[in-house]
Amino acid sequence: MPLCCRLCFSWDSSGGGGTTPIKADIVGSVSSSLPDSFTHNPLSGLNMVTVNLRATTVAAVLTVLADQTTATCPSRFSWENNVLTKAAINSTNNAELFDFGPVEGTPASSKIIGGIPRPRCKTFPGDPLWPSNSVWNLLNLTLGGALIKTVPLAAPCYSDWPQYDAAQCEYVKTNWNRPQLHVEDPTSAMFPLWQGQTCMPLDHPSQIYDNCTLGGYASYSVAVTKVSQIQLALNFARATNIRLVVKNTGHDFADKSMGAGSLSIWTHKLKDIQYIPDYTCNGHSGPALKLGSGVETEEVYQAAEAHNVTVVGGECRTVGMAGGYIAGGGHSPMSSLVGMGADQVLSLDVVLPNGRFVTASQSSYPDLFWALRGGGGSTYGVVTSVTVKAYPQIPVSTLGFVFGTSPNVTADTFWAGVEAYTTYFDTFTAVGAYGYWLIVNIGPGQFFFSMNPLWGGNMTLAQFQPLIQPFLDDLANLGISIDPVWNEYPSLYQAHSGTFPPENVGGADNRAASRLFPKDNFINPTKRNETMAAVRYAVEAGGILIGYNIRAAPNSAVNQTNSVNPAWRETTGFFILAAAWPADASPAVIQAQSNILTNDWMARWRQVSPGAGSYLSEGDINEPNWQQSFYGSHYPRLLQLKKKYDPTGLFYAHTAVGSEDWEVEGQLPGLPTQNGRLCKKP
């Protein structure tokens, strides 16, 4: 659930921003032999658009992109002051390729570059309007060498690719299930099922093709190191009608960073972290951290540790904090204490779909500030940095244990033990505790439970053990014996490092769905019995359950008026259910098992929790009525803001706000990969 830069060299652009490592398969290079200009053949590009390639013109763009200090609180990172200006665009002969879109809230143009009416479908490789190599070369020059032509991660395994390398292939195969391999690649994501499995490592159990093609991978990526590159890429994609995707780390269950024939914005290199001891702005006063959008959870926890503070972040170490994590709401081991990840946001810097760079906060673009904190990623723009509240460093106590069926523990007793735990869901979360656990069917009538861990935020063991002991007594009274492992840590970082298991990704032999169960489902005995019956049914049928005892705690110290799914405010049980199949399963088998997950197992969960919801970033790619499940009552306003800020539909992701107007062609029912042309629905 890394292949690092292969043969890197340095490119020092004249735009200021330092030396950036770029892959050797980067598109083009500056050449003195380039023609001054050329005119496109209608069959190879942008229909008689004259594009100027003079190096002096490109350099002029980059020179004008000088640092422009803006009074923000906090101040922007240096690379955020490297912005595109209208004057810079007008100074070139290529303004039509890179010009800003209309001001938000004004009518969108119905035409693309060259005055061509905007087609129903996004421009796709092989189309007459697909940019020629010369145009991609121009884009690369203008970006200062940041454009990467996609080479699939597993391409070294295939002899018909120039990157063929048996040793490199072996490295990819060995590390395929490590998330960092995919995080450090510009296009790869964690769940190859939705890419189309078109380039798996040779001999991988889920390899279904004998060759390697791009499939759902982007055609090109921009390894951004400054805001101006994001602006140029967005403006180029909008002008040329090319599909745009954004990749942070690629953790989303639905592979929202994928898209065949797309241009991808890769934010991985935006790694700055700034500690602000006294952030005083927008009604807030206290410590904060400003994070570049490429920063991962573990890096944030390390920075917080260095400054003796605590920051809300995810469970998985490689989740990008300022990517889909905050955009989707962001649950955390700290949530039962202080709320969701999105609740902690004080401000965000973002490039809008029209290419303009703004700060969203309570006092600036307040509607966008509301939408970006929970309303989903790849929808309203590209976040470059986020500032989040920091708390004093706190102790954390943890408990780990396992139990299962045995000659002395029947299946009914096992499930009685699980239900006993759910009776404490409200009690535990009300004081800031949190649980992360797993249930697996290990054979007919045999089950295994693992607590990984039960977590007491801001609790010493002397405080934590008395809270948990009644639950352990209930297990003992049922005849379920455990060997508890207690630990106390001085900080969140040390507790997180010492307890949470490593991530495992890269498989195509399963997919997941989720449900946010309201606390009344576990307080009310009748509802609890119905809920546990539905849960047991799914696990007995082969489902794998990952459970969280969690709440989104109310917190007057932050602004919780945001677009986080309202179902989070009612839940104490967040359950993820995975369906699995043989690694070499045919599409028909996968479709059948996928249908069971959505329309049988999860249908029973929805039936016992009417009006509740699911978590966008870890939800069912085939979720029925996904607008209500993922966004709840916020959806109408989110859709209105989508139309305001992105009237041309530059940003698209599966189940993102407004995605109901689009479809990826050529998909099998129940298997909606991103390997196909993106088109507006008729």
Side-chain angles (χ1 to χ4, degrees), residues 415 419 515 517 521-522 526-543 545 575 577 596-597 600-609:
W415 286 103
E419 184 166 350
R515 195 68 177 166
F517 288 105
N521 276 60
F522 307 106
T526 301
K527 290 184 177 181
R528 184 172 64 245
N529 290 338
E530 293 171 346
T531 301
M532 294 311 299
V535 169
R536 180 173 178 174
Y537 172 85
V539 176
E540 286 183 333
L545 173 61
F575 293 4
L577 184 65
I596 289 171
L597 174 66
D600 182 13
W601 301 350
M602 292 304 300
R604 293 169 186 259
W605 288 20
R606 291 190 294 271
Q607 186 176 6
V608 298
S609 57

Side-chain angles (χ1 to χ4, degrees), residues 61-150:
V61 176
L62 297 174
T63 301
V64 174
L65 298 179
D67 283 358
Q68 301 183 16
T69 303
T70 305
T72 61
C73 49
S75 61
R76 287 172 172 165
F77 292 127
S78 61
W79 47 266
E80 289 183 302
N81 289 322
N82 192 290
V83 297
L84 184 64
T85 66
K86 184 69 172 176
I89 296 169
N90 290 341
S91 72
T92 77
N93 292 333
N94 309 311
E96 197 175 11
L97 274 174
F98 301 113
D99 203 2
F100 293 112
V103 174
E104 55 273 5
T106 60
S109 172
S110 61
K111 300 181 185 299
I112 62 171
I113 194 167
I116 300 169
R118 188 173 299 279
R120 184 177 71 86
C121 297
K122 295 290 185 179
T123 304
F124 202 70
D127 287 351
L129 292 179
W130 182 256
S132 67
N133 290 338
S134 297
V135 175
W136 287 113
N137 186 55
L138 170 66
L139 176 61
N140 183 47
L141 291 170
T142 309
L143 292 168
L147 190 67
I148 300 171
K149 189 172 184 178
T150 296

Side-chain angles (χ1 to χ4, degrees), residues 611-626:
S614 176
Y615 182 40
L616 172 65
S617 299
E618 296 174 317
D620 188 345
I621 200 167
N622 296 318
E623 180 75 25
N625 192 18
W626 56 264

